[in-house]
Amino acid sequence: MANVTDLQTKYSKLAQEYSKLRAQNQVLKKAVVDEQANSTSLKEQLKQRDQSLRKQEQEMDSLSFRNQQLAKRVELLQEELVASEAKGKKGKSKGDSPSQHGLQTQNVFDEDLQKKIEENERLHIQFYEADEQHRRQEAELRARLKELEKDSEQHQAVVDGLTTKYMETIERLQGDKARLEVKAQTLERESKECRLRTEECQQQLRRCQAELNRQVKQSSSVIQEKVPFNDTGEYLAMSHLDKEDLKARDVAGQALSFIQDLVAALLNFHSYTEQRVHIYPLDSSIESISPLNQKFSQYLHENAAYVRPLEDSLLQLHQSITEDTVTTLETVIKLKSFADNFSSYTHFLQKILPYQLKSLEEECEAPLCTAALTAKNHELQSDMKRLTSVFEKVQNYINLLALPSRLTSNLLSSTSAVFTQLAACLLSLHDAIKEMSKHYNQKASLEQELPTVTQKLCTTTECLLGSLGSLTSSTGKIATFFSNNLDFFTSSGYSPRGSTLTLNPLQAENMLANKKKAVAYIQAIKKPRPQSVPYKEALSNRRVLTSSTESREGLTQQVQQSQEKIARLEQEKEHWLLEAQLGKVRLEKENQRIADLEAQLEAALGGSLSSQAATANIPAQSYEEAETEQKAAGKETTLCTSLVGMLCTTPTVEHVGDEESREQLIKTHYMSRVGELTTQLQISDSKAVHFHSECRALAKRLTIAEKSRETLSDELKVANQNITRLQDELTTTKRSYEDQLSMMSDHLCSMNETLSKQREEIDTLKLGSKGNAKKNKGR
C-alpha cells in the first residue's frame, strides 16, 4: 500500500508539473505568434522607410543636378557680363544709346543672378535638412533592428530551454513507466501467490467442513439415541446476531465511502455548472448575464449547504453502529437525519430544475446555435427532468425505510419490497446520469465546432464532463453495491425463530443485556474467580478507566473531525486550483487584448505622423511649381529630350555644344546610383531569406515539441489508466480475501463452539452411564 501511495503522490506531482509546463507552453506559443506579428509589422515599416528614403534620395539627386545647372548658368552669366563690360568700354565713343542699352541688360543680369543665388541657398538648406532626417531615420532603424535581434535570441533561448525540459520529462516518464511495469509484474506474481493460497485455504476449508459434517452427524445420532430432551421453545441466536452486526457495520462503511464519492461529484457538477452559466451564452466579464441566470447561479452557489449534510449524516449513522447495538430499521435512529438531508437536497433539485430548463432555452435562442445543438439541449432538458423524478423516488423510499425509527408502532409491513424498489430506483438513477453524460459529451463536441467558442468555455466544459463521469461511476458503484447486498437487506436476521414480529429498541436492549450476562456466566464457569478487590481501589480503578475511555473517545472524535476537515480542504483546494487556472486564462486574454490595443494605438499614431509629413511635402512641391511657372513666363526656354530624361535650356549659342557632355554626366550618375540600390536590395533580400529560414526552423521545432507533448500526454493517460485498473483489481482482491477470511473465521468459531458443547455433553453422558453401571453392580 505504501508503494501505491508513493506512486500516486509521484504521479500527482508529475501531473502538476505537466500542467505548469502546458501553461508555459501556451504562453510561449502566444509570445512567438506576437513576435511574428511584430516582425511582419516591422518589416512593413522598414519597407515604407526604404521607399521614403528612396524618394528623398531622388529628390536630393534632382536638387544636386539643378544646383549644378544653376552654377553653370551663373558662370555663363558672369562670362557674358565680362564680355558686355568689355564691349561697353569699346562703345563709349559711339554715343549714349548703346551705353543705356548695356546698362539695362546689366541690370537684368544682376537681378537674374540675385534670384539664382537665393534659390541656390534655399536648395542647400533643403538638402542639409533631408540629409539630417535620413541619418536620424537610419539610426532609429538600426537600433530597432538590434532590439529585434536581441528578442529573437531570447526567444531562441526560451525554446531551447523548453526542448531540454521536455526531453528531461520524457526520460523521467520513461523511467517511471519501466518502474511501473516492474511493479505490475510483482503485483501479478503476488496475485498468483494469493490465488494459490486461496485455493489451499479452500481445500483446507472443504476438508474441515467434511470432518465437521461427519462429527455433527455422529453427535446428532448420539443425541437422538441417548438424549430424550428437545428444546422447541423460542431462543435468540447470539452468534448469528454478532455476524449480522459485523455485516451491517461493513455495509455501512462501504456505503459511506460511496456516498463520499457521490458528494464530491455532485459538488463539482454544481460548481462547474455555475461557472458555465457565467460564461455561456453571455460572458459575465464582458456583459451582464440575464436575471434568470443570475438567480440560477445564486442557487447553485448554495449547493454545499444541501450536499455536505448527506455525508455528515451517513457518517453519524456509521458511527452509531457498534458492537453494543442491534442494527435494525427500528433501532437505527440516525437514518432519520439522513432521510431529512436527502429530502432537502431533492427539494433543492426541484427548485433549480426550472432555472436549468430556462438556461438551456436561452442557449437555444443564441444566434449561433445550430439545429443539432438545440436538439441536444432538448434532450438534456428531458434528462434533467428524469433525473429529478428519480431522485424524488429514491427520497420516498428512503423516507419509508426511516419510518420504523420515527414511530413506536411498526407501520412498514414489507421491507423487502421497499429495498427491491430502492435498488431498481438506484439502477434507473445510474442510467439517467449516464444518458445525461452522453448527451453532454455530444453537446461539447458540437460546441467546439462553433467559431465563437473560447478557451475558458472549453476548460469549464471539460471539467463539467469530468464531474459527470465521476458522478456516473459513483452512482454505478452504489447501484451494484445495493443490488449485491439486497439479500442481506431483505433477510429477517433479527426476528426470533417461529415469529414474524420485529424487534423493538427495548427488546434489543434486553437482548443485549441477557447476552452480556450469559457471556459473563460462561466466562465465570470456565475460569476460576479472581480474588476480590477492595471497594476504594475499585472506585479509583473505575475513575481511571472512565477518564481513559472518555479521553480515547474524545481523541477518536477529534481524529475523525480532522480527517473530515482534511478531505473538505482538499476538495476546496482542487476547486480553487481550477479557479486559478481559469483566472490565468482570463489574465492572458486580457494581456493579449491590451497588447492589441497598444499596437492599434501605435499604428494610429504612425498614420497621423505620415499624414503630417505628406502635408509638409505638399507646400514645397506647390512652391516649386509656382517658381517654374514664373520662370516660364519671364523667359522663353527650349526642351531637349533624350533616353535619360528631359533637359530645359535657354536658346543660347554657347549652350548647344554642352548638351551631350551633360547628358553623359547624368547617365553616369544614375548608373552609379542604380548600382548602389541593387547592392542594397540584394543585402535586404539576403536578410529576409535568413529571417524566413529562421522562422521556418522555429516553426518546425514548435511542431516537433507539440507532437512530443501529445505523445507524452497519451502515454501518461495510458499509465494512469493502468494504475487505476491495477488499484481497482488490488482493492477488489483484498476485499474478497478479507470477506472470505472473516466468513471462514466466523464459521470456524461457530463450529468450534458446537464441537466444544458436543464434547461436554458426550463427557457428561459418559459419566452418567458409568455411574448407572456402578449402581447396577452394587445392587
Side-chain angles (χ1 to χ4, degrees):
M1 290 297 291
N3 293 325
V4 174
T5 54
D6 293 335
L7 283 173
Q8 289 178 354
T9 53
K10 286 181 181 179
Y11 271 96
S12 63
K13 290 179 181 179
L14 285 173
Q16 291 176 0
E17 291 179 359
Y18 178 71
S19 61
K20 291 179 182 178
L21 290 173
R22 187 176 182 182
Q24 292 177 2
N25 192 8
Q26 291 178 356
V27 173
L28 287 172
K29 279 183 183 178
K30 291 179 180 178
V32 169
V33 172
D34 293 335
E35 289 299 326
Q36 287 178 357
N38 290 326
S39 64
T40 53
S41 62
L42 288 171
K43 284 180 182 179
E44 291 177 355
Q45 290 179 4
L46 185 62
K47 288 180 182 178
Q48 292 176 0
R49 297 288 174 84
D50 289 334
Q51 290 177 359
S52 62
L53 286 173
R54 288 172 187 171
K55 289 180 182 178
Q56 289 176 2
E57 286 175 356
Q58 288 177 0
E59 289 177 357
M60 288 169 62
D61 293 335
S62 62
L63 289 172
S64 61
F65 179 68
R66 183 66 177 164
N67 193 5
Q68 290 177 3
Q69 283 184 350
L70 291 172
K72 289 181 181 179
R73 180 66 177 162
V74 168
E75 289 177 359
L76 291 173
L77 290 172
Q78 287 177 359
E79 289 176 0
E80 289 177 358
L81 181 60
V82 171
S84 64
E85 286 178 356
K87 288 180 182 179
K89 289 179 181 179
K90 291 179 181 179
K92 280 182 181 180
S93 62
K94 290 184 180 178
D96 294 331
S97 59
S99 62
Q100 291 177 357
H101 183 70
L103 289 170
Q104 290 177 358
T105 56
Q106 187 175 3
N107 290 327
V108 170
F109 284 134
D110 290 335
E111 290 176 358
D112 193 7
L113 181 62
Q114 188 67 29
K115 288 180 181 178
K116 298 297 182 184
I117 289 167
E118 291 176 356
E119 187 178 1
N120 193 8
E121 289 178 357
R122 184 174 58 78
L123 291 172
H124 273 293
I125 290 167
Q126 289 181 357
F127 178 74
Y128 179 73
E129 289 177 354
D131 193 8
E132 288 293 328
Q133 188 177 2
H134 172 66
R135 289 175 183 173
R136 205 163 43 246
Q137 289 178 354
E138 188 177 0
E140 290 177 356
L141 289 172
R142 284 179 180 173
R144 183 64 178 167
L145 185 61
K146 287 180 181 178
E147 290 178 358
L148 288 173
E149 287 177 353
K150 288 180 181 178
D151 292 336
S152 65
E153 289 176 357
Q154 290 177 359
H155 286 302
Q156 184 65 33
V158 170
V159 170
D160 293 334
L162 282 174
T163 52
T164 54
K165 283 183 181 179
Y166 282 135
M167 293 301 291
E168 289 176 357
T169 53
I170 288 167
E171 292 176 356
R172 192 162 58 249
L173 288 172
Q174 286 178 353
D176 293 335
K177 184 181 176 182
R179 283 194 226 102
L180 285 173
E181 288 179 352
V182 172
K183 287 185 178 179
Q185 290 176 359
T186 55
L187 288 172
E188 286 179 356
R189 289 197 206 107
E190 290 178 357
S191 65
K192 288 180 181 178
E193 291 176 357
C194 290
R195 286 172 186 171
L196 293 173
R197 289 176 185 174
T198 52
E199 289 177 357
E200 292 176 358
C201 291
Q202 286 177 358
Q203 290 177 0
Q204 290 178 2
L205 180 62
R206 289 169 187 168
R207 287 197 294 270
C208 291
Q209 284 178 353
E211 182 67 24
L212 289 172
N213 289 325
R214 186 181 62 78
Q215 291 179 2
V216 165
K217 288 179 181 178
Q218 186 178 359
S219 60
S220 63
S221 63
V222 170
I223 288 167
Q224 287 177 2
E225 292 176 356
K226 303 294 181 181
V227 181
F229 180 74
N230 188 8
D231 186 8
T232 58
E234 296 180 356
Y235 68 94
L236 298 174
M238 293 297 177
S239 62
H240 184 64
L241 288 177
D242 292 335
K243 292 178 187 178
E244 293 292 331
D245 289 333
L246 291 172
K247 182 67 175 177
R249 186 168 179 80
D250 189 14
V251 167
Q254 293 178 10
L256 177 62
S257 65
F258 293 141
I259 290 294
Q260 286 175 353
D261 296 337
L262 181 65
V263 166
L266 287 173
L267 287 171
N268 291 329
F269 176 68
H270 290 309
S271 60
Y272 293 133
T273 306
E274 180 187 358
Q275 291 178 7
R276 180 180 169 83
V277 167
H278 282 287
I279 295 169
Y280 187 79
L282 296 176
D283 196 352
S284 60
S285 61
I286 299 172
E287 54 186 338
S288 62
I289 60 176
S290 63
L292 186 137
N293 280 333
Q294 288 179 359
K295 196 72 175 175
F296 184 33
S297 64
Q298 183 180 358
Y299 285 151
L300 286 173
H301 193 68
E302 300 171 355
N303 60 354
Y306 298 98
V307 180
R308 292 285 186 190
L310 295 174
E311 181 181 354
D312 297 336
S313 59
L314 196 63
L315 180 62
Q316 292 176 2
L317 175 63
H318 178 253
Q319 290 174 357
S320 66
I321 301 171
T322 59
E323 295 177 355
D324 297 333
T325 58
V326 176
T327 307
T328 61
L329 291 176
E330 292 80 9
T331 58
V332 179
I333 303 171
K334 298 294 182 180
L335 186 61
K336 175 184 174 183
S337 62
F338 178 73
D340 294 336
N341 293 323
F342 198 85
S343 299
S344 63
Y345 177 68
T346 307
H347 292 316
F348 170 71
L349 289 179
Q350 291 174 357
K351 183 171 66 173
I352 65 172
L353 178 62
Y355 294 99
Q356 286 177 342
L357 301 178
K358 291 290 184 183
S359 178
L360 289 172
E361 287 179 0
E362 284 188 3
E363 290 183 7
C364 293
E365 291 173 0
L368 293 176
C369 186
T370 59
L373 269 177
T374 55
K376 292 300 171 188
N377 287 329
H378 291 314
E379 289 177 355
L380 284 172
Q381 286 179 350
S382 62
D383 290 336
M384 288 173 181
K385 290 178 183 177
R386 181 187 173 191
L387 181 65
T388 308
S389 65
V390 171
F391 265 105
E392 290 176 1
K393 289 180 181 179
V394 174
Q395 172 206 346
N396 293 327
Y397 287 119
I398 291 174
N399 288 328
L400 284 174
L401 291 175
L403 276 177
S405 63
R406 299 184 184 182
L407 303 174
T408 56
S409 62
N410 189 9
L411 298 176
L412 190 63
S413 60
S414 120
T415 57
S416 61
V418 177
F419 277 117
T420 52
Q421 292 297 325
L422 181 58
C425 287
L426 290 173
L427 288 172
S428 61
L429 177 65
H430 173 61
D431 294 334
I433 292 173
K434 191 175 180 182
E435 286 293 323
M436 190 168 69
S437 177
K438 182 177 74 174
H439 293 157
Y440 249 114
N441 280 313
Q442 294 172 359
K443 180 184 176 183
S445 62
L446 290 173
E447 283 180 351
Q448 287 179 359
E449 296 175 358
L450 295 177
T452 58
V453 68
T454 59
Q455 185 65 31
K456 183 165 48 174
L457 179 62
C458 290
T459 53
T460 306
T461 307
E462 287 178 0
C463 295
L464 185 61
L465 292 174
S467 64
L468 278 172
S470 61
L471 192 61
T472 305
S473 64
S474 61
T475 52
K477 288 178 182 178
I478 290 171
T480 54
F481 158 74
F482 206 84
S483 61
N484 290 331
N485 293 306
L486 190 60
D487 295 333
F488 170 73
F489 291 135
T490 56
S491 64
S492 60
Y494 294 102
S495 62
R497 179 178 295 178
S499 176
T500 58
L501 298 174
T502 57
L503 287 175
N504 292 325
L506 184 60
Q507 292 176 354
E509 291 179 1
N510 293 327
M511 184 178 68
L512 288 172
N514 292 326
K515 177 184 175 183
K516 289 179 181 177
K517 288 180 181 179
V519 170
Y521 180 74
I522 291 169
Q523 288 178 355
I525 290 172
K526 288 184 178 179
K527 295 181 181 179
R529 292 184 179 180
Q531 295 180 359
S532 63
V533 180
Y535 182 69
K536 293 182 180 179
E537 187 177 355
L539 285 177
S540 63
N541 291 331
R542 185 176 181 277
R543 287 169 188 165
V544 172
L545 182 62
T546 53
S547 64
S548 63
T549 54
E550 287 176 357
S551 63
R552 187 185 67 181
E553 289 176 356
L555 289 172
T556 54
Q557 289 179 359
Q558 289 179 3
V559 168
Q560 289 176 357
Q561 290 176 0
S562 63
Q563 287 177 356
E564 291 173 1
K565 288 181 181 178
I566 288 166
R568 290 176 185 174
L569 289 172
E570 285 179 353
Q571 291 178 358
E572 291 177 358
K573 178 183 174 184
E574 292 177 356
H575 175 70
W576 289 114
L577 283 172
L578 293 171
E579 289 287 339
Q581 289 180 0
L582 292 173
K584 284 182 182 179
V585 173
R586 291 175 185 171
L587 181 61
E588 290 174 359
K589 289 184 180 178
E590 288 295 327
N591 290 327
Q592 187 176 2
R593 189 167 63 82
I594 290 165
D596 294 334
L597 290 172
E598 288 178 355
Q600 291 177 3
L601 183 60
E602 289 178 358
L605 291 173
S608 62
L609 291 172
S610 64
S611 62
Q612 290 177 4
T615 53
N617 289 325
I618 289 168
Q621 293 177 0
S622 62
Y623 183 73
E624 289 178 359
E625 289 176 359
E627 284 183 352
T628 53
E629 287 177 359
Q630 289 177 2
K631 289 176 186 178
K635 193 171 184 180
E636 293 179 357
T637 58
T638 60
L639 297 173
C640 298
T641 60
S642 66
L643 294 172
V644 177
M646 186 180 290
L647 181 64
C648 181
T649 58
T650 56
T652 56
V653 179
E654 290 84 4
H655 185 69
V656 175
D658 296 329
E659 289 178 0
E660 295 179 359
S661 62
R662 193 174 298 144
E663 186 176 358
Q664 189 66 31
L665 289 171
I666 293 166
K667 281 184 180 180
T668 55
H669 174 72
Y670 275 101
M671 290 300 290
S672 63
R673 185 63 186 161
V674 167
E676 291 176 359
L677 290 174
T678 52
T679 54
Q680 290 180 2
L681 182 62
Q682 289 176 358
I683 291 166
S684 63
D685 288 334
S686 63
K687 287 182 179 179
V689 169
H690 178 66
F691 287 136
H692 181 66
S693 63
E694 284 184 354
C695 290
R696 288 182 65 184
L698 286 172
K700 287 181 180 179
R701 288 181 181 177
L702 187 62
T703 52
I704 291 166
E706 287 179 354
K707 289 180 180 178
S708 63
R709 181 177 61 80
E710 290 176 356
T711 54
L712 286 173
S713 63
D714 294 332
E715 290 178 358
L716 185 62
K717 287 179 181 178
V718 172
N720 288 325
Q721 290 176 359
N722 290 326
I723 288 168
T724 53
R725 182 175 57 78
L726 290 171
Q727 288 177 354
D728 292 334
E729 289 179 357
L730 185 62
T731 52
T732 52
T733 52
K734 281 186 176 179
R735 284 181 181 175
S736 63
Y737 291 157
E738 288 174 356
D739 294 333
Q740 289 177 3
L741 288 171
S742 63
M743 294 295 289
M744 286 170 64
S745 61
D746 293 336
H747 186 68
L748 288 172
C749 289
S750 63
M751 295 303 292
N752 286 323
E753 288 177 358
T754 54
L755 285 172
S756 62
K757 288 179 181 179
Q758 288 174 2
R759 284 174 183 172
E760 289 175 359
E761 290 176 356
I762 290 165
D763 293 331
T764 54
L765 290 171
K766 286 180 179 179
L767 290 172
S769 63
K770 286 181 181 178
N772 291 324
K774 287 180 179 179
K775 287 180 182 179
N776 293 323
K777 287 180 181 179
R779 286 178 184 176

